[in-house]
Amino acid sequence: EVSTDDPEVAFCTLANREELNPEEDSVHHCLYQFTRNETLTETNKLLCDVCTQRHCGPKNNLNEKKCVYTNAKKQMLISLAPPILTLHLKRFQQAGFNLQKVNRHIKFPEVIDLAPFCTAKCKNVAEGNTKVLYSLYGVVEHSGTMRSGHYTAYVKMRAMNNHLSDLVLRGQSHASETEPVKGQWFHISDTHVQPVSVSKVLSSQAYLLFYERLL
């Protein structure tokens, strides 16, 4: 999809991302890096149809036309805030000719604000809102290596979030909560289920994170 937005606002976000100063080895830092502004130059230049037409004239003979490439900026931002946010952490890296699992702890919050990573024209965020909040309700953890291991999960038992149906059915929410959804966390490993504290959940080695929208 080609966007013709004003260049001055094309890279604007709902909240100022430059004030984040995200901590290393955190989900905020991962999101900040994933949505950073990139400059495309040299062999990464962008093919520009407008520049090509301006330089070569109307499209009379495509075989004789010399395409014009230009420097450009690229940024990936969220244009539609989902009812359920799923974050999949890349827990492997290249080690010579082999893949190696990344075991270090990645910090993640109970409540996360996506506004610094959303475009200023995010489709299902009310005008004037500068926060897009999500509450953690599920974590998948993997123990072991790239060749073998075991998956377990942390799940929060909580009351139904009625605002999610508004988001799914009508694309909008009238929620006003800014605190985590209240509930009891449980650790699930095969057939074993036991209650755990939120501190235990937040110290886990997350592989998948599941958040539900609050605001």
Side-chain angles (χ1 to χ4, degrees), residues 187-201:
H187 182 231
I188 303 169
S189 177
D190 293 333
T191 59
H192 301 283
V193 179
Q194 61 179 351
V196 293
S197 64
V198 65
S199 61
K200 174 69 174 176
V201 176

Side-chain angles (χ1 to χ4, degrees), residues 5-158:
D5 289 345
D6 183 343
E8 295 297 323
V9 299
F11 298 98
C12 291
T13 51
L14 281 174
N16 188 354
R17 59 189 280 113
E18 300 309 320
E19 295 180 355
L20 275 178
N21 192 24
E23 186 178 357
E24 289 279 353
D25 292 339
S26 69
V27 164
H28 282 103
H29 189 260
C30 294
L31 287 169
Y32 186 86
Q33 290 293 99
F34 186 76
T35 59
R36 72 185 186 279
N37 197 316
E38 301 176 59
T39 301
L40 306 179
T41 60
E42 299 179 355
T43 56
N44 291 321
K45 283 184 178 181
L46 191 70
L47 171 61
C48 179
D49 291 334
V50 175
C51 300
T52 299
Q53 188 169 345
R54 186 182 301 147
H55 181 74
C56 304
K59 298 180 179 179
N60 294 326
N61 191 336
L62 293 177
N63 294 327
E64 297 179 2
K65 178 167 290 188
K66 182 179 179 181
C67 295
V68 176
Y69 293 82
T70 183
N71 293 337
K73 287 184 178 181
K74 171 190 171 184
Q75 187 174 26
M76 298 183 68
L77 294 172
I78 299 168
S79 62
L80 184 69
I84 298 297
L85 173 67
T86 304
L87 299 178
H88 183 182
L89 303 183
K90 179 183 175 182
R91 283 206 168 272
F92 65 89
Q93 62 186 6
Q94 194 76 31
F97 294 102
N98 299 314
L99 290 177
Q100 184 178 52
K101 186 185 175 187
V102 177
N103 288 309
R104 67 178 178 270
H105 176 66
I106 301 298
K107 296 180 181 179
F108 55 94
E110 253 196 290
V111 173
I112 191 168
D113 185 5
L114 279 193
F117 317 110
C118 292
T119 174
K121 295 184 178 179
C122 199
K123 297 172 185 175
N124 58 347
V125 176
E127 187 175 352
N129 275 12
T130 57
K131 289 184 178 295
V132 183
L133 301 180
Y134 288 82
S135 177
L136 183 72
Y137 75 90
V139 179
V140 172
E141 183 179 43
H142 178 269
S143 58
T145 67
M146 292 292 294
R147 293 181 178 274
S148 64
H150 181 58
Y151 289 96
T152 60
Y154 294 91
V155 179
K156 179 189 280 189
M157 188 176 71
R158 64 215 184 280

